[in-house]
Amino acid sequence: SQGYASDVQFYCRGVPIRVCSDMDELARSKAEAEGRALISATASGSVLEQFVGLPKMNEIRNLIEASPAGHVASLEISPLPDEAWDGLASAMGSFADHAERMERHVEMKAWHEQKYQENRIKRQQTAGGRSNSM
């Protein structure tokens, strides 16, 4: 029979873990084969279970079963380096600088709203008083 099988490698706590889809039952697509390989990662006795231990795997399985979509995912974002924080702080300036920018924003918003209304009234007058008011 024809179909797809897949090996998937991922990292758990910095250690690469490789799982494979079931070679006895081939998938209809590459995506399905990858999905099956990932599902096999949570199977009883899997490499992941051996790595994280049975209590943690039971916790993961409970999360999967409780999930409306039938799966869970984890995303870890590395902290920004100090240089990036320094750059952000420098770009933002002091709290007073921020407050001044926000005040200017409010002023400009009011100015644009006033100009919009003035232009709308001019268009109405030019169109002979017909109004497309909101």
Side-chain angles (χ1 to χ4, degrees):
S1 87
Q2 289 187 319
Y4 295 89
S6 180
D7 292 353
V8 176
Q9 182 171 324
F10 59 95
Y11 291 84
C12 181
R13 299 177 184 158
V15 176
I17 297 184
R18 186 178 178 157
V19 293
C20 304
S21 60
D22 185 2
M23 296 298 288
D24 295 333
E25 190 178 330
L26 297 176
R28 294 179 303 238
S29 68
K30 290 179 183 180
E32 182 182 346
E34 290 171 358
R36 287 183 181 187
L38 288 172
I39 289 170
S40 73
T42 61
S44 192
S46 68
V47 175
L48 183 59
E49 180 178 281
Q50 294 169 15
F51 184 76
V52 298
L54 184 59
K56 185 64 175 177
M57 281 308 296
N58 286 336
E59 184 181 325
I60 292 169
R61 287 185 191 112
N62 289 337
L63 282 172
I64 292 169
E65 288 174 18
S67 168
H71 68 276
V72 294
S74 174
L75 173 64
E76 181 177 323
I77 300 173
S78 300
L80 287 174
D82 289 341
E83 296 81 24
W85 284 112
D86 293 343
L88 286 171
S90 175
M92 290 296 295
S94 68
F95 179 76
D97 294 336
H98 173 70
E100 184 179 331
R101 282 192 305 274
M102 293 307 295
E103 186 177 315
R104 181 77 175 134
H105 170 74
V106 169
E107 290 170 2
M108 291 306 297
K109 187 175 178 182
W111 182 84
H112 280 282
E113 180 63 27
Q114 179 183 350
K115 291 296 180 189
Y116 171 79
Q117 293 300 332
E118 288 172 5
N119 287 335
R120 189 173 65 82
I121 291 169
K122 284 181 187 176
R123 283 192 309 271
Q124 286 176 355
Q125 291 171 346
T126 304
R130 287 179 278 141
S131 174
N132 292 332
S133 62
M134 295 178 188

